[in-house]
Amino acid sequence: MTTLLWAGQALKELGSGELEARLSVIEQYVDVHGKVNADNTLTTVLHDAPTKGADVLAYMLSIMRAVADDGWAIDAVCAPYTMFASEFAQATQHELPALELPVDLPASSYYTLPEFLQLVPHPSEYTVRRFIMMDFIADTVIQLEGNRKDCAKYLMQIHGLCNEDVCSVMTTAQHPEDVDPETSLVFEYMVAEVLFSFLTQLPESQFREMYYTSLAIELRKAEPQILANVLETAVDNIVARIPSMDVECSNRLSNWLAVYISNFGYQWDWAKWESAVSEQDDTPRRRFMQETLLKLVRLSYLDRIKLQLPESCVELVPVKAPTHNFKYTVQSMDERTRE
């Protein structure tokens, strides 16, 4: 379905009727799929999201229909080759061999679209642009998984391949503080949303959790001030919805946050966590913060983490440092073993 978004304009020129027939088949399938899986919450990251928002196929179909109504024109990405259309038309034409597609591939070879999380408000009129941009970002994250440094470098260059009015870029703006995600698409926030969408993908992440952690660290190193604020805002918005988040996703986010904070001197705006101190012990948000702090203690040591926290948050960390829990102790061994 994502391929049709990029190839729809060319396919329309070859046969608009056949393209419309394919769309009708997709609509029928998505309709049946939505009815069969109406009560399925196993792959829903945020359980307070509307039902239609959790159906990725229905969401993609709405994007496709919007693009089709606009003549399959996608203005989000530059197409510099159009400037040389006349030269290409006069050039020698070559017959290309027929491309034989494989009948089937292993499941791991197919691109699985994650449920893109919306962590900051976006203008509704830019829904199609947002999806195209996030698909572009997601494809980069997948293709460059083997090298986090290159991935971070090329991610921060993607906006240069887009038309100037597609999105706002905080790293190139004269006054980044004036860029408002509620009135325009902000590139850095879309990168953060794709990153956390992959991290919380159910039933399991496409890659190891550490890849998304190390990628976030490299992105922050590339743009220390701006990316630090963007990632912190994204985390704050997720933590605010922890009570409705799937437990598996909450645990992954806790792991991610602990390693991320430990790579930047354990510096964080801990004052925002003070409100969790007054909550009951079994509330999801307090549990999340306690688990994250426990992991930070294991990555460092108890006294250092206590020094980083305001006094009101100290009770969120364990009273004693974690120790080994041996199954057999010296006292339970016989005299011969002790010798």
Side-chain angles (χ1 to χ4, degrees), residues 144-169:
L144 298 179
E145 177 265 338
N147 191 325
R148 67 183 189 279
K149 292 183 179 292
D150 280 352
C151 184
K153 181 178 73 173
Y154 289 113
L155 277 177
M156 298 311 296
Q157 296 175 1
I158 286 178
H159 61 81
L161 302 175
C162 307
N163 295 317
E164 293 182 359
D165 60 342
V166 169
C167 62
S168 301
V169 184

